[in-house]
C-alpha cells in the first residue's frame, strides 16, 4: 500500500489547526493564518509553533521527533558550575520581556540571514506576556542585560522559543535557571522544539511526537 503524502493545510481566519499527524516529514503542518493570541494559545496547546522567515507566510510546525528536556536532566559542565558559583551573573524573571524578545530577534545566528521574530510576532507575544502566559528570564552582569530567553508557560510544560547571549555562557545561565525552576515546580518538560548540538549538550533529547503529545495533554492546566 502506498504511503499517503501529507498535505499542508492553508489556514483560514478561524483559529483552527489540522491534527499534528498531518505534518509532513519535516514537521510542517500548515501555512497562513495570523499570530493572534487566541491562535497562538491553541497552537501551543496542540503541540504546534510558528517559525517562518521575515516577509513570508506564517509556517506552523509540529516536528517528529521533538527536542525536549526533562528538567531534572539538565547537564551542567564543570566550567559552567564555576560560572554559576562565581556570582558573575544574576537573573530575574519577567522584568523586561520586550527587550529580551528584541535581543533574540537582533542576535546574529549561524546560517540565518534574518529573523523569524518579526515585529508582528513581538507584539503578539507581548500580549501573551501581559496575559501571564509568555515569560522571560533575564541574565545580568553589573546591571547590564547580557542574556536571556523567553517562551510560553503552559503550567506543566515550558515551551522555549528563543534565547540570546551577549557574554560567554549567559544564555546557558538562563536555561539552567529555567530548568531548575521547572524541576522545582514539577513541570514535565521543557519543549526545545528542534535539535541543535547546543541543546543536546545541555541534556535535551529527541522524543517521538506521539509521546510528546501524550505528555502535553497530561495534567494540562487551563490558561
Amino acid at each position: 500500500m502506498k504511503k499517503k503524502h501529507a498535505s499542508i493545510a492553508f489556514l483560514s481566519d478561524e483559529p483552527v489547526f489540522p491534527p499534528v499527524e498531518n505534518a509532513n516529514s519535516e514537521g510542517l503542518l500548515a501555512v497562513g493564518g495570523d499570530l493572534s493570541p487566541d491562535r497562538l494559545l491553541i497552537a501551543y496547546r496542540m503541540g504546534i509553533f510558528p517559525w517562518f522567515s521575515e516577509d513570508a507566510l506564517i509556517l506552523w510546525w509540529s516536528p517528529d521527533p521533538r527536542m525536549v528536556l526533562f528538567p531534572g536532566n539538565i547537564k551542567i559542565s564543570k566550567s559552567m558550575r564555576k560560572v554559576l558559583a562565581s556570582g558573575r551573573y544574576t537573573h530575574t524573571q519577567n522584568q523586561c520581556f520586550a527587550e529580551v524578545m528584541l535581543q533574540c530577534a537582533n542576535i546574529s545566528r549561524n546560517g540565518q540571514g534574518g529573523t523569524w521574530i518579526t515585529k508582528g510576532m513581538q507584539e503578539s507575544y507581548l500580549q501573551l506576556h501581559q496575559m501571564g502566559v509568555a515569560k522571560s528570564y533575564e541574565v545580568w552582569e553589573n546591571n547590564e542585560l547580557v542574556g536571556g530567553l523567553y517562551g510560553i508557560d503552559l503550567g506543566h510544560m515550558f515551551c522555549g522559543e528563543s534565547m540570546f547571549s551577549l557574554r560567554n555562557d549567559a544564555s546557558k545561565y538562563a536555561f539552567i535557571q529555567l530548568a531548575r525552576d521547572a524541576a522545582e515546580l514539577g513541570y514535565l518538560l521543557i519543549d526545545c522544539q528542534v535539535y541543535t548540538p547546543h541543546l543536546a549538550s545541555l541534556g535535551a533529547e529527541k522524543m517521538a511526537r506521539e509521546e510528546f503529545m501524550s505528555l502535553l495533554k497530561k495534567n494540562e492546566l487551563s490558561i
Side-chain angles (χ1 to χ4, degrees), residues 1-222:
M1 180 181 291
K2 272 190 172 182
K3 185 177 179 181
K4 185 178 178 181
H5 290 285
S7 57
I8 306 304
F10 285 84
L11 302 182
S12 68
D13 292 337
E14 293 294 318
V16 176
F17 291 93
V20 295
E21 293 79 11
N22 289 12
N24 67 14
S25 60
E26 295 181 340
L28 180 60
L29 176 68
V31 176
D34 56 40
L35 293 170
S36 68
D38 284 347
R39 190 189 294 270
L40 286 167
L41 281 178
I42 290 169
Y44 281 100
R45 287 169 174 160
M46 290 182 62
I48 302 163
F49 59 87
W51 186 24
F52 57 101
S53 300
E54 203 167 9
D55 300 324
L57 287 172
I58 302 170
L59 304 180
W60 300 90
W61 302 82
S62 184
D64 187 14
R66 192 86 166 209
M67 196 69 171
V68 302
L69 174 74
F70 291 97
N73 290 350
I74 185 73
K75 289 182 180 177
I76 307 175
S77 66
K78 288 183 179 179
S79 60
M80 195 63 210
R81 289 185 187 279
K82 290 180 181 178
V83 172
L84 292 166
S86 70
R88 175 183 177 184
Y89 298 135
T90 58
H91 79 282
T92 56
Q93 295 181 42
N94 302 314
Q95 294 303 300
C96 48
F97 181 89
E99 180 64 21
V100 169
M101 274 205 80
L102 183 62
Q103 290 288 351
C104 287
N106 291 338
I107 202 78
S108 177
R109 303 177 194 276
N110 290 334
Q112 294 181 9
T115 180
W116 72 95
I117 309 172
T118 62
K119 287 187 177 180
M121 182 171 276
Q122 291 174 49
E123 290 170 359
S124 295
Y125 282 75
L126 183 57
Q127 290 181 61
L128 289 176
H129 173 64
Q130 292 164 348
M131 294 165 60
V133 180
K135 298 183 179 179
S136 62
Y137 276 67
E138 303 90 20
V139 178
W140 306 88
E141 183 180 29
N142 299 324
N143 296 317
E144 179 185 357
L145 181 66
V146 295
L149 60 82
Y150 75 94
I152 302 296
D153 189 345
L154 295 179
H156 69 310
M157 183 181 294
F158 188 92
C159 304
E161 271 298 312
S162 187
M163 51 188 174
F164 79 96
S165 187
L166 302 179
R167 300 285 189 277
N168 289 340
D169 301 317
S171 62
K172 285 184 182 179
Y173 188 97
F175 192 71
I176 289 167
Q177 300 301 338
L178 167 63
R180 286 175 167 177
D181 287 349
E184 185 175 340
L185 291 169
Y187 279 35
L188 300 177
L189 285 178
I190 295 172
D191 174 25
C192 303
Q193 299 181 345
V194 296
Y195 173 88
T196 68
H198 177 64
L199 289 168
S201 72
L202 290 167
E205 59 191 87
K206 294 179 181 178
M207 174 183 284
R209 182 171 58 213
E210 184 177 2
E211 183 180 357
F212 173 81
M213 293 302 297
S214 177
L215 291 173
L216 177 63
K217 294 173 184 177
K218 183 177 181 181
N219 299 325
E220 183 172 2
L221 302 180
S222 297

